[in-house]
Amino acid sequence: MKYASIKNCDIANGPGVRVSLFVSGCTHRCKGCFNEVAWDFNYGEPFTQETIDKILDMLAPSYVKGLTLLGGEPFEPQNQPAIVELLRQVKAKYPEKSIWSFSGYLFDRDILPGKLGDPAITREFLSYLDVLVDGPFIESRKNLSLRFRGSDNQRLIDVPASLEQGSVVLWEDWQGNGRGMKG
């Protein structure tokens, strides 16, 4: 896997101060995408253990609330194994930090049924997430007043509650007093 960029002290892609990893590679190619350069799977830098170590160091300060995964597309099958290794290490070192991911795929139609590569890897990926922002960016539904998403078709999903209930549970805790906002 390659990655386009890593942002330290990101406040736009989840609650609180976060570290955000922008992976390379996306097959959605949404019209009006803010990060078209990351569509190319060969764009950016190789994702290595050194990259993981850098992210772990960035997550160390107590004011950093968590990690956000964006793209490109984190759930592309070829990106999932490297991301899962990152998440294993993040959860082992910082179990209190929240983990968010964005995806143009739909949680209940594409991700949960295991349609994206190895279902075991996808299930492990989901097991580390607190919130998933799902759905493609739709330019005609762009809404700048929305928090943590670009178009009004995108959902903020409480992943642990959704996995427990077997259906989509929306994350609605804007004050950060519950799931998705730890620390």
Side-chain angles (χ1 to χ4, degrees):
M1 180 180 91
K2 289 196 170 187
Y3 70 97
S5 65
I6 300 170
K7 298 206 184 298
N8 200 3
C9 297
D10 184 355
I11 59 169
N13 295 302
V17 176
R18 311 184 69 75
V19 173
S20 292
L21 170 66
F22 291 80
V23 303
S24 294
C26 182
T27 58
H28 301 296
R29 304 194 182 294
C30 301
K31 182 180 178 189
C33 175
F34 79 99
N35 201 12
E36 283 186 34
V37 69
W39 291 355
D40 182 352
F41 284 90
N42 293 311
Y43 177 79
E45 300 296 321
F47 189 82
T48 64
Q49 183 59 49
E50 184 178 305
T51 313
I52 293 173
D53 293 342
K54 178 180 177 179
I55 292 169
L56 292 172
D57 288 345
M58 290 177 168
L59 287 166
S62 61
Y63 64 83
V64 176
K65 299 302 179 191
L67 173 68
T68 299
L69 306 165
L70 308 99
E73 172 59 65
F75 277 93
E76 292 290 2
Q78 54 268 58
N79 289 340
Q80 289 188 46
I83 290 173
V84 166
E85 182 54 36
L86 166 66
L87 298 181
R88 283 181 192 133
Q89 293 184 44
V90 169
K91 277 300 182 187
K93 190 163 186 176
Y94 304 112
E96 75 285 0
K97 306 273 186 183
S98 70
I99 299 176
W100 281 44
S101 185
F102 285 72
S103 178
Y105 291 108
L106 295 177
F107 175 77
D108 42 349
R109 185 188 76 195
D110 307 311
I111 299 171
L112 194 57
K115 294 181 180 178
L116 307 171
D118 184 335
I121 292 173
T122 303
R123 279 192 302 275
E124 185 175 356
F125 189 160
L126 288 172
S127 76
Y128 297 118
L129 294 183
D130 294 292
V131 174
L132 173 70
V133 182
D134 84 334
F137 172 73
I138 299 175
E139 191 171 41
S140 64
R141 296 181 69 177
K142 182 177 180 177
N143 183 339
L144 297 177
S145 70
L146 297 172
R147 276 190 90 189
F148 310 132
R149 57 190 193 247
S151 56
D152 64 15
N153 63 295
Q154 295 172 314
R155 304 177 292 184
L156 283 84
I157 297 173
D158 181 328
V159 176
S162 297
L163 293 174
E164 185 178 309
Q165 292 190 21
S167 61
V168 173
V169 177
L170 297 180
W171 182 81
E172 298 180 16
D173 187 1
W174 303 112
Q175 285 70 50
N177 297 316
R179 286 196 175 123
M181 181 65 178
K182 299 176 186 169

